[in-house]
Amino acid sequence: MTTTPALHSTAQEGNEFLPGPVLLLGAPGVGKGTQAQLLVTKYGIPQISTGDLLRGNIARGTELGLKAKEIMSSGHLVDDEIVNQMVLYRLQEQDTHRGYILDGYPRTLDQAKFLDRTITDPIFLPRLPVIAISIVVSYDQLLQRITGRRTCPTCKHIYNIYSNPPKVVDVCDFDGAALTQRSDDTEPVFVERMKTFDAQTAPVVAHYRDQGRFAEADGNLSMEAVSTAIQQALVDLRRASDLRRASR
Ligand SMILES: [Zn+2]
């Protein structure tokens, strides 16, 4: 009697990790943009941000872009329906076939449910569910990152009075200019921003957590260590998700 080798999986596919759709979450100041770029480089997959999609559609004058422009010029926020459609078009492009990093979408529970339903359609590759990873930085460290920020108006060098101070207080090391602080880099603004962020994000986090597709990465570590933690969380969640699907 002969055994049949598994035809569906070549050795190459077996070795190559398929990242699939990844939603990166994180409050302003946690370094989400930097971490998204590191994942883009590591896995060779695109980053899809709603801000870029909106600007791109408006610039190209697409039907959705024109609608969005009209809504925005009347002082309103672009609704879920338009954002959902922009994402759907984007996800049908070739470069998303191994996965993609979602940034700023899904922002609401409705969007998260919509995306889950939609990407089960066979036209969307890879056929993997969204995994959400939240970069978490302690309140005190985040507060210091933001309220400690100082900028040189001349050479634009950015300092932090706690983690990367100039040699002389409030003076640029390179040109001696007096450093400035952005008017919204203050604790009251930070507290408000955090409240808004937590309120918006909580339902989305709960949705993915309930389905075992959520992890937190410690954002207090170095940039490289945070990236390693995100990649490890992603591999672990994919493996767990594959096992659940296989056992169904
Ligand atoms: Zn300077």
Side-chain angles (χ1 to χ4, degrees):
M1 199 176 138
T2 56
T3 54
T4 314
L7 291 171
H8 61 273
S9 161
T10 65
Q12 197 193 354
E13 279 167 354
N15 290 333
E16 202 182 336
F17 176 64
L18 199 59
V22 182
L23 167 62
L24 265 194
L25 297 164
V30 302
K32 187 161 61 105
T34 305
Q35 291 302 330
Q37 273 313 305
L38 290 172
L39 294 178
V40 163
T41 307
K42 164 84 185 173
Y43 296 120
I45 57 176
Q47 178 180 3
I48 299 177
S49 109
T50 34
D52 290 345
L53 279 184
L54 210 51
R55 279 187 292 275
N57 273 277
I58 291 172
R60 294 199 309 278
T62 65
E63 196 182 324
L64 290 169
L66 292 174
K67 271 191 206 165
K69 199 176 169 182
E70 198 183 314
I71 295 170
M72 284 156 72
S73 60
S74 68
H76 294 98
L77 286 173
V78 178
D79 51 273
D80 270 15
E81 177 66 22
I82 289 178
V83 178
N84 284 343
Q85 291 307 315
M86 284 181 182
V87 172
L88 287 201
Y89 282 122
R90 180 64 184 86
L91 294 186
Q92 290 172 53
E93 287 175 35
Q94 291 286 328
D95 63 344
T96 60
H97 285 187
R98 297 187 58 255
Y100 39 90
I101 311 295
L102 293 163
D103 176 14
Y105 181 95
R107 195 183 289 278
T108 64
L109 182 57
D110 281 346
Q111 287 179 346
K113 287 179 174 172
F114 172 83
L115 185 66
D116 276 356
R117 275 197 311 275
T118 306
I119 62 174
T120 57
D121 188 302
I123 63 166
F124 296 106
L125 292 172
R127 285 176 210 158
L128 292 171
V130 175
I131 273 172
I133 298 173
S134 177
I135 304 167
V136 181
V137 173
S138 72
Y139 180 89
D140 288 341
Q141 195 180 129
L142 206 48
L143 182 66
Q144 287 196 348
R145 283 188 193 180
I146 288 166
T147 59
R149 196 151 55 193
R150 298 290 184 278
T151 311
C152 171
T154 306
C155 71
K156 308 297 175 201
H157 190 83
I158 298 167
Y159 298 85
N160 188 293
I161 58 169
Y162 303 107
S163 58
N164 176 32
K167 292 193 186 83
V168 180
V169 175
D170 285 343
V171 175
C172 180
D173 291 348
F174 306 103
D175 47 41
L179 303 181
T180 55
Q181 183 178 21
R182 268 172 43 178
S183 61
D184 55 354
D185 280 349
T186 62
E187 185 162 2
V189 175
F190 168 75
V191 169
E192 268 317 301
R193 245 189 249 151
M194 284 300 286
K195 267 191 212 159
T196 309
F197 172 78
D198 286 338
Q200 275 182 347
T201 318
V204 176
V205 167
H207 171 75
Y208 291 111
R209 180 176 272 152
D210 286 349
Q211 302 190 24
R213 293 191 269 130
F214 174 80
E216 287 182 346
D218 184 354
N220 297 291
L221 310 170
S222 71
M223 187 178 79
E224 294 80 10
V226 175
S227 186
T228 304
I230 291 173
Q231 289 166 35
Q232 190 57 54
L234 177 57
V235 169
D236 290 346
L237 287 173
R238 278 278 169 245
R239 191 173 295 146
S241 170
D242 285 350
L243 287 173
R244 273 198 308 277
R245 291 200 302 173
S247 69
R248 244 180 246 150

